[in-house]
Amino acid sequence: MEEKKALVISRGKTNSLELNHDQSEFALLLKEIGYSVISYFSQDIENIDKNTYLGSGKIAEIAYYYHQYNEQNPEEPIDIIACNFELTGLQKKAIEAITKAEIIDRTFVILNIFEKNAKTKEAKLQVEIARLEYLKNHLVDEKASYSQVTSGSGHNKGKGEKQIELSKRQISKAVLQKKKELEAIKLSRRNMRNKRINNPSPKICIVGYTNAGKSTLMNRLVKLSKEDKTVLEKNALFATLETSTRNISIFGYPTFFLTDTVGFISHLPIYLVDAFRSTLEEIKEADLLVQVIDLSDPFKEEEIETTKGIIKSLEADNIPMINIYNKY
């Protein structure tokens, strides 16, 4: 399938290491959903503009470039403008109005990758819940200006506001139903975990940045254990979206449980942090954490800090951790 073309907008200081890292990472995310990056634009701002996120002048500059490029390249135009941050519904509408282009944000991109890679019922439910929560928040924002114009005073709400409330209730109802389905799966996972907790064998969790090589390490140990239950191993972001646990028994060494976990990434949307918290619960019950680090990545130190931050948010930072360096 031929890749489509994207123009990327980021927030940060031009040519800074942090911005270069963020842009490179976002380009990889976009590649996962079929886009190659044509150009990068950025602005170093202290405060986010409530209407256009970046300054309206910068958005106008981007709009000019977008249309000029497409006029000069009608056979291979820029298909979308991708924002390397999360937009509100109103910000998305405002940028679309200025640029006359299709706008997507970072959360939209990550949700699409997760949706593409979800294989188990649990992972699919978690992605659906995250997408519905994202839609609910953006639906309210996108309709807000219309609601303010059409709504009445007192208890006489306008058509726009009534439609927002109806849509919001419908989405909330769908989320509640899917959470009930997910809870049943979580209960089954919890029971399996309790059995392992009562087992004297040590419990080790592999953690780290997405695409660092966690599943590769898991499969090498599974094969040494002469087992055939390997996990998906793919050179792609978020190839693994669920935890997998194997009983590793290698001759001459103590037997232990080994768990492969979902890969981490910076600025993970809050919708997905909450949705995948249940799959990360395994980390809290480990006796040892093994962090796999891509030694070839120039931004490995930032990725190590991201991993540590997520582990701390799970209240698992008291568990001993060792580092394994990969891809050197």
Side-chain angles (χ1 to χ4, degrees), residues 62-177:
I62 291 164
Y64 177 79
Y65 177 90
Y66 168 81
H67 289 288
Q68 187 181 55
Y69 182 96
N70 284 358
E71 285 175 9
Q72 294 173 354
N73 301 274
E75 300 297 322
E76 295 183 325
I78 296 171
D79 297 282
I80 54 112
I81 294 177
C83 297
N84 191 12
F85 36 75
E86 184 175 335
L87 297 167
T88 66
L90 283 175
Q91 287 168 341
K92 180 175 180 291
K93 284 187 70 177
I95 297 173
E96 285 177 337
I98 295 171
T99 61
K100 303 296 188 293
E102 181 183 352
I103 305 297
I104 61 174
D105 66 3
R106 182 183 175 89
T107 301
F108 177 90
V109 173
I110 294 176
L111 279 171
N112 274 269
I113 295 171
F114 273 58
E115 190 170 55
K116 182 182 74 170
N117 292 343
K119 299 295 185 291
T120 66
K121 185 176 181 180
E122 180 180 16
K124 288 177 180 178
L125 278 170
Q126 288 165 328
V127 173
E128 287 173 19
I129 290 168
R131 184 176 287 284
L132 285 168
E133 294 286 7
Y134 174 78
L135 175 62
K136 182 173 70 174
N137 286 351
H138 284 68
L139 173 70
V140 173
D141 284 338
E142 287 177 1
K143 299 292 185 182
S145 57
Y146 176 66
S147 169
Q148 290 165 6
V149 172
T150 60
S151 61
S153 59
H155 298 288
N156 299 319
K157 296 180 178 179
K159 293 179 182 179
E161 190 170 352
K162 286 179 181 177
Q163 184 58 49
I164 294 168
E165 292 181 353
L166 177 61
S167 299
K168 189 175 180 180
R169 283 199 298 272
Q170 289 172 335
I171 293 174
S172 295
K173 186 176 179 180
V175 168
L176 185 61
Q177 178 58 40

Side-chain angles (χ1 to χ4, degrees), residues 2-110:
E2 186 178 350
E3 282 188 328
K4 295 183 178 180
K5 293 178 172 53
L7 182 157
V8 166
I9 310 175
S10 298
R11 177 187 178 187
K13 189 175 181 180
T14 304
N15 295 326
S16 67
L17 287 176
E18 183 177 359
L19 178 62
N20 289 342
H21 176 238
D22 285 347
Q23 289 178 333
S24 298
E25 183 177 88
F26 194 48
L28 290 174
L29 290 171
L30 286 166
K31 186 176 181 180
E32 289 296 315
I33 62 169
Y35 288 95
S36 60
V37 179
I38 292 297
S39 303
Y40 295 94
F41 281 82
S42 64
Q43 187 175 38
D44 189 15
I45 55 171
E46 291 186 11
N47 299 312
I48 295 169
D49 188 294
K50 65 179 182 180
N51 296 315
T52 54
Y53 197 95
L54 300 182
S56 57
K58 175 60 69 172
I59 301 300
E61 176 189 338
I62 291 164
Y64 177 79
Y65 177 90
Y66 168 81
H67 289 288
Q68 187 181 55
Y69 182 96
N70 284 358
E71 285 175 9
Q72 294 173 354
N73 301 274
E75 300 297 322
E76 295 183 325
I78 296 171
D79 297 282
I80 54 112
I81 294 177
C83 297
N84 191 12
F85 36 75
E86 184 175 335
L87 297 167
T88 66
L90 283 175
Q91 287 168 341
K92 180 175 180 291
K93 284 187 70 177
I95 297 173
E96 285 177 337
I98 295 171
T99 61
K100 303 296 188 293
E102 181 183 352
I103 305 297
I104 61 174
D105 66 3
R106 182 183 175 89
T107 301
F108 177 90
V109 173
I110 294 176

